[in-house]
Amino acid sequence: MANEEDDPVVQEIKPKQQKVELEMAIDTLNPNYCRSKGEQIALNVDGACADESSTYSSKLMDKQTFCSSQSTSNTARYAAALYRQGELHLTPLHGILQLRPSFSYLDKADAKHREREAANEAGDSSQDEAEEDVKQITVRFSRPESEQARQRRVQSYEFLQKKHAEEPWVHLHYYGLRDSRSEHERQYLLCQGSSGVENTELVKSPSEYLMMLMPPSPEEEKDKPVAPSNVLSMAQLRTLPLADQIKILMKNVKVMPFANLMSLLGPSIDSVAVLRGIQKVAMLVQGNWVVKSDILYPKDSSSPHSGVPAEVLCRGRDFVMWKFTQSRWVVRKEVAAVTKLCTEDVKDFLEHMAVVRINKGWEFILPYDGEFIKKHPDVVQRQHMLWSGIQAKLEKVYNLVKETLPKKPDGQSGPAGLVSGDQRVQVARSKAQQNHALLERELQRRKEQVRASMVLPSVRIKEEPMSEEGEEEEEQEADEDEESMDTSLGGALHNRLANGLPGGRVAGGDSFNGHPPPGCASTPVARELRAFVEATFQRQFVLTLSELKRLFNLHLASLPPGHTLFSGISDRMLQDTVLSAGCKQILVPFPPQTAASPDEQKVFALWESGDMSDQHRQVLLEIFSKNYRVRRNLIQSRLTQECGEDLSKQEVDKVLKDCCVSYGGMWYLKGTVQS
């Protein structure tokens, strides 16, 4: 290319529909210019014969064309600035064009290449044919062109290209940067007015002056959304009315303490006005505000999961909100059983306002806000009246038993009325102890009936549809299954009774239900139990006693009534079967402050499965017998040291996947991590 000002530059400008083509000469004598490449390009474009119509008459690529494109549609907010003698001179711009190289010569080269190929093919065919075929020619007379057809032809691309090619080039002169003519033109960028004191003072505020320099674009104002949707902009949000701000915030956050809402709205907002606005779009639950259901599910909408109309969704979500006014904990299966909604819809309701806790259920996401309750008793009383009306409506729609419902929502009365998951378990255990004598009499009556008829009694088992999709669905339902077990009568007597029988009598070896003690290895019960244990550990490799009992209960639920495993399996019998099936108990050193239950601290692992990874798993299990959590690099180094070879990443990953889970960058045995 031309070197700055010393090289000659030929400029030709060709305006066409606000577009400019600039043709600039290329310095072919420059040492950086590749002459052979330039000759090749010229030959491809013009061919061997050069004439007046040739693009490169010198048989070299000696020029380059630049075509302009519009860089922006709105130039009102742009200006050219010139700083001189402590003054800043601004000149508005009415158009900005960006020049880019045009490669139209490549199109010409392709056209020449196609013409040469066509000529060669025509020459070959003419040699074989003695004379050309006679073709019939049809003569047609063109009809007069209508005005509508003429307008279409004038606006066509072919016509515009033709006019573009016919437009003559305009030759311009180039003046250098330090040329006197350039300096003269540059003077027009300087303000010619007087430099008096009255012109140097700004009579407007800085924001007003900035608005004059950069006025808002009409197109941008037209396209600007009325309110933020997915991502909230606080600057745009605060330009809206207060009611809209509260509605948008609650719709996005869904659950919020009143103090957090005031901090988002700003210190200048009146709290009384906010209280009036929040009650229109949210309900008070445990001292916190939860967005109303009709805000999330407006009329004429439906569920994306099941297609249920918005009215049914609002009723189901109101039931979940009302349940949280009674207790800190809610069981998902209980909600699904009452509302008759699909699992995905119920899960959406709970995720809006709660978090799942293992073995307990869904806990309300925010702590009880007693400060707001004490500070605004009038609001609390009004919300309590609203909840009473909602409760009456829910009782009517869902046929709830009124006697079983609390008389006053605990969420509005204070933290003392909230019932935690542990308290619910204690209540269930106390009720179970009161009914223990009744259960003993019922057991004796059933045993007498069995002895008389020698027929296995039918055992009532809670039957639920089971899915064999794999371990992911079992894990998904694990929390809910544990919730039901912890709060039910069977879960309260789990350590004392085995499937309705006293644990001491099972372990003692007494026969019952017409069967010998299940501890005997030759009995059908022992064989069935051992088969279940072996099959389970072949899939899982590492299980806590709590998880094993959960899987066993799921297995029982899938069996038909009257199966031999319903004869009663105690915890001791289950552990003995695990140890006799080739498994070992791993004494994991749990930390002193662990929240794991005794059953969760009993960890069993399959010691030998018969595959190539047995040795690797044994080394890994020995590591966890001395450490509660371990880093991956320590595991890999220990495996390399014990096995005497460098293990691949795939082998280490397989061993870790079989026995461990990762949490917070550390590795734990399955079932031992407490998040």
Side-chain angles (χ1 to χ4, degrees):
M1 297 296 292
N3 288 336
E4 299 183 357
E5 301 177 10
D6 299 333
D7 299 324
V9 177
V10 178
Q11 288 184 328
E12 297 179 0
I13 194 163
K14 184 179 181 182
K16 184 65 179 177
Q17 294 183 349
Q18 298 181 352
K19 290 187 178 181
V20 176
E21 286 187 358
L22 180 64
E23 190 175 275
M24 299 182 63
I26 299 177
D27 184 10
T28 58
L29 302 178
N30 193 288
N32 295 324
Y33 180 80
C34 181
R35 190 175 183 85
S36 61
K37 192 68 175 177
E39 292 176 352
Q40 184 64 41
I41 294 175
L43 180 62
N44 294 338
V45 174
D46 299 327
C49 300
D51 52 15
E52 295 180 355
S53 62
S54 299
T55 303
Y56 303 113
S57 57
S58 63
K59 297 185 178 182
L60 279 174
M61 183 182 177
D62 55 357
K63 57 185 177 181
Q64 174 70 55
T65 303
F66 293 86
C67 184
S68 68
S69 62
Q70 194 171 6
S71 60
T72 179
S73 59
N74 182 18
T75 59
R77 56 177 63 225
Y78 294 95
L82 186 63
Y83 186 78
R84 177 171 294 185
Q85 296 179 359
E87 296 177 349
L88 181 65
H89 300 261
L90 299 177
T91 303
L93 299 179
H94 299 286
I96 302 175
L97 296 179
Q98 183 179 13
L99 292 176
R100 296 181 178 179
S102 174
F103 300 98
S104 58
Y105 60 89
L106 297 178
D107 298 333
K108 294 182 180 179
D110 292 340
K112 289 283 185 182
H113 180 68
R114 286 193 295 269
E115 289 177 2
R116 286 193 294 267
E117 287 185 347
N120 292 335
E121 293 177 358
D124 295 340
S125 62
S126 63
Q127 294 177 2
D128 299 334
E129 298 177 359
E131 59 182 13
E132 297 181 357
D133 296 336
V134 179
K135 297 181 180 180
Q136 183 180 2
I137 299 176
T138 303
V139 179
R140 294 181 181 179
F141 296 94
S142 61
R143 291 178 296 179
E145 186 180 24
S146 63
E147 181 64 23
Q148 186 177 9
R150 190 189 69 81
Q151 291 181 359
R152 286 199 301 267
R153 181 176 59 82
V154 170
Q155 296 177 358
S156 65
Y157 176 77
E158 182 180 359
F159 182 82
L160 294 176
Q161 287 294 103
K162 183 178 179 182
K163 296 291 291 182
H164 178 79
E166 293 175 354
E167 187 175 356
W169 287 89
V170 178
H171 293 267
L172 300 179
H173 296 283
Y174 172 77
Y175 298 96
L177 179 64
R178 295 178 177 83
D179 191 270
S180 59
R181 182 61 183 267
S182 298
E183 183 64 28
H184 175 74
E185 293 292 335
R186 199 158 39 246
Q187 293 297 323
Y188 289 109
L189 299 178
L190 299 176
C191 180
Q192 304 299 325
S194 60
S195 57
V197 179
E198 65 278 0
N199 293 333
T200 60
E201 292 185 358
L202 296 177
V203 296
K204 297 182 178 297
S205 64
S207 59
E208 293 175 338
Y209 186 69
L210 184 61
M211 185 63 67
M212 292 173 59
L213 290 178
M214 298 180 62
S217 173
E219 297 179 359
E220 293 182 1
E221 289 182 350
K222 183 179 180 180
D223 298 338
K224 185 185 299 182
V226 178
S229 56
N230 295 333
V231 179
L232 286 177
S233 170
M234 297 305 297
Q236 293 181 353
L237 183 66
R238 291 180 178 176
T239 61
L240 301 175
L242 180 60
D244 292 340
Q245 295 185 45
I246 297 174
K247 182 178 180 180
I248 292 172
L249 285 173
M250 291 305 304
K251 187 176 181 180
N252 282 270
V253 182
K254 297 181 179 59
V255 183
M256 190 186 306
F258 185 74
N260 290 14
L261 179 62
M262 290 299 300
S263 64
L264 290 175
L265 295 175
S268 59
I269 304 299
D270 184 18
S271 61
V272 178
V274 176
L275 277 174
R276 286 197 298 266
I278 190 64
Q279 295 183 68
K280 297 178 181 179
V281 297
M283 296 291 293
L284 190 66
V285 178
Q286 299 187 21
N288 302 281
W289 292 99
V290 182
V291 64
K292 289 184 176 180
S293 301
D294 56 358
I295 302 295
L296 296 180
Y297 304 106
K299 191 178 180 181
D300 299 331
S301 63
S302 60
S303 168
H305 305 294
S306 59
V308 174
E311 181 181 0
V312 180
L313 293 177
C314 292
R315 190 162 56 237
R317 189 174 181 274
D318 288 344
F319 176 76
V320 175
M321 293 170 61
W322 172 79
K323 289 290 291 182
F324 277 119
T325 63
Q326 315 300 312
S327 172
R328 289 285 300 177
W329 304 88
V330 167
V331 180
R332 180 172 64 86
K333 285 192 174 182
E334 179 184 348
V335 176
V338 173
T339 60
K340 302 298 189 296
L341 293 173
C342 69
T343 305
E344 290 78 7
D345 289 334
V346 176
K347 190 174 181 182
D348 284 347
F349 300 158
L350 293 170
E351 288 179 345
H352 289 170
M353 62 192 81
V355 292
V356 64
R357 303 296 187 192
I358 298 176
N359 300 336
K360 293 182 180 293
W362 290 80
E363 183 183 11
F364 193 67
I365 193 170
L366 294 178
Y368 182 85
D369 193 353
E371 182 178 355
F372 180 85
I373 297 295
K374 296 177 181 178
K375 191 174 181 180
H376 304 281
D378 53 337
V379 177
V380 174
Q381 180 63 25
R382 191 179 303 113
Q383 289 292 310
H384 175 59
M385 295 173 62
L386 292 176
W387 277 120
S388 299
I390 294 175
Q391 176 180 339
K393 182 179 178 181
L394 294 175
E395 291 174 0
K396 182 178 180 181
V397 172
Y398 293 130
N399 296 323
L400 302 179
V401 182
K402 191 170 183 180
E403 288 76 15
T404 62
L405 301 177
K407 295 182 179 180
K408 184 178 180 180
D410 294 333
Q412 319 299 338
S413 60
L418 298 178
V419 181
S420 66
D422 294 337
Q423 292 174 344
R424 295 174 67 182
V425 172
Q426 293 296 334
V427 171
R429 286 179 178 173
S430 62
K431 291 182 179 179
Q433 292 175 0
Q434 295 174 4
N435 298 331
H436 182 65
L438 181 62
L439 292 175
E440 286 283 357
R441 290 194 297 270
E442 179 68 14
L443 177 62
Q444 292 297 331
R445 185 182 64 82
R446 288 191 178 186
K447 289 171 64 175
E448 291 173 0
Q449 292 178 357
V450 170
R451 292 191 185 97
S453 60
M454 295 300 294
V455 178
L456 286 175
S458 59
V459 182
R460 282 186 168 179
I461 299 296
K462 180 183 178 182
E463 296 183 1
E464 295 180 353
M466 295 295 296
S467 174
E468 298 179 358
E469 295 292 330
E471 296 176 6
E472 283 187 58
E473 291 190 11
E474 288 185 2
E475 292 296 333
Q476 182 180 1
E477 298 294 330
D479 299 338
E480 274 48 290
D481 290 335
E482 291 296 330
E483 295 164 14
S484 301
M485 291 172 62
D486 286 346
T487 57
S488 64
L489 180 60
L493 294 177
H494 188 73
N495 293 327
R496 300 184 57 186
L497 298 178
N499 295 328
L501 301 177
R505 302 189 68 172
V506 173
D510 296 336
S511 63
F512 49 88
N513 288 347
H515 285 273
C520 300
S522 60
T523 62
V525 177
R527 289 195 296 268
E528 289 284 341
L529 182 60
R530 185 183 178 96
F532 162 77
V533 169
E534 290 177 350
T536 303
F537 276 91
Q538 284 290 340
R539 296 192 308 266
Q540 304 284 357
F541 291 101
V542 176
L543 286 170
T544 62
L545 180 58
S546 175
E547 180 66 9
L548 182 60
K549 288 159 63 176
R550 186 186 70 84
L551 296 177
F552 181 68
N553 287 335
L554 291 175
H555 179 65
L556 286 179
S558 65
L559 298 177
H563 195 274
T564 56
L565 283 181
F566 290 131
S567 57
I569 305 298
S570 65
D571 294 353
R572 179 63 178 273
M573 187 186 307
L574 186 61
Q575 296 180 62
D576 292 342
T577 306
V578 170
L579 296 177
S580 64
C583 301
K584 290 187 177 182
Q585 183 175 358
I586 310 301
L587 301 178
V588 180
F590 283 82
Q593 68 277 12
T594 181
S597 63
D599 286 350
E600 292 174 343
Q601 296 185 30
K602 293 181 180 180
V603 184
F604 298 91
L606 182 61
W607 196 252
E608 292 181 359
S609 63
D611 59 7
M612 301 297 294
S613 302
D614 279 347
Q615 183 182 2
H616 303 159
R617 280 194 294 268
Q618 291 171 11
V619 174
L620 181 66
L621 294 174
E622 290 178 358
I623 294 175
F624 280 98
S625 65
K626 300 178 182 178
N627 301 276
Y628 172 64
R629 56 182 182 179
V630 187
R631 294 190 179 275
R632 181 190 173 94
N633 56 0
L634 177 61
I635 295 174
Q636 187 148 2
S637 62
R638 181 68 179 277
L639 287 173
T640 303
Q641 178 183 357
E642 294 291 335
C643 299
E645 57 180 353
D646 292 332
L647 299 178
S648 63
K649 183 178 182 297
Q650 290 77 10
E651 292 175 326
V652 177
D653 290 343
K654 181 183 183 305
V655 175
L656 291 175
K657 182 180 179 181
D658 291 344
C659 305
C660 303
V661 292
S662 177
Y663 183 81
M666 304 294 289
W667 288 89
Y668 303 78
L669 279 183
K670 288 183 178 179
T672 62
V673 59
Q674 301 295 321
S675 57

